[in-house]
Amino acid sequence: MSLHSGSSGKKSVKQKLFHFSLFASAIAISFSSYSEPLALNLDLSKTTVSGLSSGGYMATQFHLAHSELVQGAAMIASGPYFCAQNSLTTALSQCVGKSGASIELNALETQIDRWQQEGKIADTKSLQDDKIWILGGTLDQKVGRSVVSALNQQYQQWIPKDNIQYVQDKAFAHHFPTANEGSDCKKSESPYIGNCQFDAAGSLLTQLYGNLTPATQASQSHIHTISTEQLPKEQQDTLATESYLYVPENCAEGKACSLHISFHGCNQNAEAIGTDYVTKTGLNRWAESNNIVVLYPQTKNSTVLPFNPQGCWDWWGYTDGDYATRNGKQIKAVYSLIQQISGRQNG
């Protein structure tokens, strides 16, 4: 598949659920670039997610699966939660391209309600205080504006409009827009990072976290690798053997830091473009000056079961029917990575 403030109740729930992580000393974990173990002190109540294309779908899936943890989500060029309804045919017919097909949000809501009752996703009531940032470029031929607008409409069912920022008037193709990195903003081409004189990283992080300290220089030496080989085998199967972590200097020294998870798009994993997604989106510059650790999970390409030759995140069911829930292999794997880097391997 080619793709490339309301009530304050929820905040207190999150703070209670994740109080154990606030300003607590993390168990040391080893990174391949470190000669000594590195301990991270993460305030998990300030966890946010973002993603491009299939990564945008994955960000929404992870948000709904674990909204008791995630306080905000940013999606570029993706559609509503469970848009594909576990069907590649449906994914192709109504969730990508300049689809003219109507996306029936009520049908999706029925499934969402069922999964809530079964405990497969968090209660959508826990979304009400979250911040959302959505972008759909007017030149995007891979995920049309009607599909992205359906995502915006879906979130409005759960979150006040004032908490949602929808950027829909930019002449961007299908890519992650940046201030000065990447290729022609009007073209969708590898590495799917667009030089658009628009700092999407700064815009989305500001929406998710509020006023931020201006971005500063990011350091290549602050990028580390995390092995996924310690994860259960079923979680390893659809992830690359290594993911990436950007750790600002203050965070490496033990300061309490927030966590942001950024999901790449199809044809955008390390196997396809090296570390371009990790180094060129601009997220690290803002992370460095605002004490935000950024986790970059990585998919792997596969031409056998599961069939995923372009390294997409699963948003249509190539792993199994639980892909969009807490029981999904990739969602469980990323959650396990969060436990690992926050020192809760046995949590």
Side-chain angles (χ1 to χ4, degrees), residues 11-319:
K11 188 65 63 180
S12 62
V13 170
K14 285 184 176 178
Q15 289 172 341
K16 290 176 182 177
L17 286 173
F18 291 92
H19 183 71
F20 63 80
S21 70
L22 300 181
F23 309 101
S25 296
I27 298 174
I29 60 175
S30 296
F31 296 84
S32 61
S33 56
Y34 267 74
S35 58
E36 298 293 334
L38 175 68
L40 294 180
N41 180 9
L42 296 179
D43 180 351
L44 293 181
S45 73
K46 297 179 180 179
T47 300
T48 59
V49 295
S50 67
L52 166 65
S53 196
S54 75
Y57 278 105
M58 185 63 177
T60 300
Q61 289 172 182
F62 196 88
H63 187 200
L64 266 69
H66 289 293
S67 59
E68 81 288 350
L69 166 65
V70 178
Q71 72 162 15
M75 285 67 60
I76 301 172
S78 65
Y81 178 84
F82 201 54
C83 183
Q85 301 177 65
N86 198 26
S87 166
L88 180 58
T89 300
T90 301
L92 292 171
S93 65
Q94 70 177 30
C95 304
V96 298
K98 299 181 73 65
S99 174
S102 175
I103 299 175
E104 296 295 333
L105 294 181
N106 288 338
L108 304 184
E109 187 67 23
T110 298
Q111 182 62 67
I112 291 168
D113 288 342
R114 183 177 300 118
W115 278 337
Q116 285 183 94
Q117 294 170 11
E118 295 172 352
K120 290 187 174 182
I121 63 173
D123 191 330
T124 54
K125 291 180 181 178
S126 65
L127 296 167
Q128 61 186 341
D129 286 337
D130 286 359
K131 296 296 181 67
I132 302 299
W133 186 94
I134 299 170
L135 184 146
T138 63
L139 301 181
D140 194 328
Q141 301 295 311
K142 295 190 176 183
V143 179
R145 295 174 68 191
S146 64
V147 177
V148 182
S149 293
L151 173 63
N152 176 54
Q153 183 180 349
Q154 185 181 60
Y155 264 116
Q156 288 183 23
Q157 297 177 120
W158 309 312
I159 296 173
K161 288 184 179 181
D162 288 348
N163 282 16
I164 302 174
Q165 182 179 355
Y166 180 24
V167 182
Q168 57 180 320
D169 60 349
K170 304 295 184 182
F172 301 157
H174 188 80
H175 47 54
F176 194 114
T178 74
N180 52 23
E181 292 278 5
S183 55
D184 188 337
C185 187
K186 296 182 179 180
K187 296 180 180 180
S188 178
E189 57 188 17
S190 185
Y192 304 103
I193 296 170
N195 187 341
C196 299
Q197 292 78 57
F198 179 81
D199 186 1
S203 180
L204 72 87
L205 288 175
T206 298
Q207 171 66 5
L208 300 184
Y209 286 106
N211 293 331
L212 297 176
T213 300
T216 188
Q217 185 70 34
S219 173
Q220 293 288 97
S221 66
H222 294 172
I223 299 172
H224 312 288
T225 56
I226 311 171
S227 172
T228 59
E229 293 180 343
Q230 300 304 312
L231 300 179
K233 187 177 186 308
E234 68 166 14
Q235 296 178 24
Q236 292 181 38
D237 285 346
T238 59
L239 291 190
T241 57
E242 290 183 337
S243 291
Y244 296 93
L245 195 70
Y246 186 85
V247 183
E249 182 175 0
N250 286 339
C251 304
E253 293 177 351
K255 185 177 179 64
C257 292
S258 307
L259 175 65
H260 181 74
I261 307 162
S262 183
F263 297 100
H264 62 73
C266 300
N267 296 307
Q268 212 179 25
N269 58 9
E271 190 170 344
I273 64 169
T275 59
D276 279 3
Y277 186 81
V278 177
T279 61
K280 295 183 177 181
T281 62
L283 290 169
N284 297 342
R285 296 175 60 248
W286 289 92
E288 184 66 43
S289 57
N290 289 280
N291 300 323
I292 302 171
V293 170
V294 186
L295 173 63
Y296 296 96
Q298 298 289 304
T299 61
K300 67 179 178 183
N301 297 6
S302 175
T303 56
V304 295
L305 294 177
F307 185 70
N308 184 31
Q310 295 177 324
C312 303
W313 289 100
D314 187 7
W315 63 276
W316 70 89
Y318 71 74
T319 53

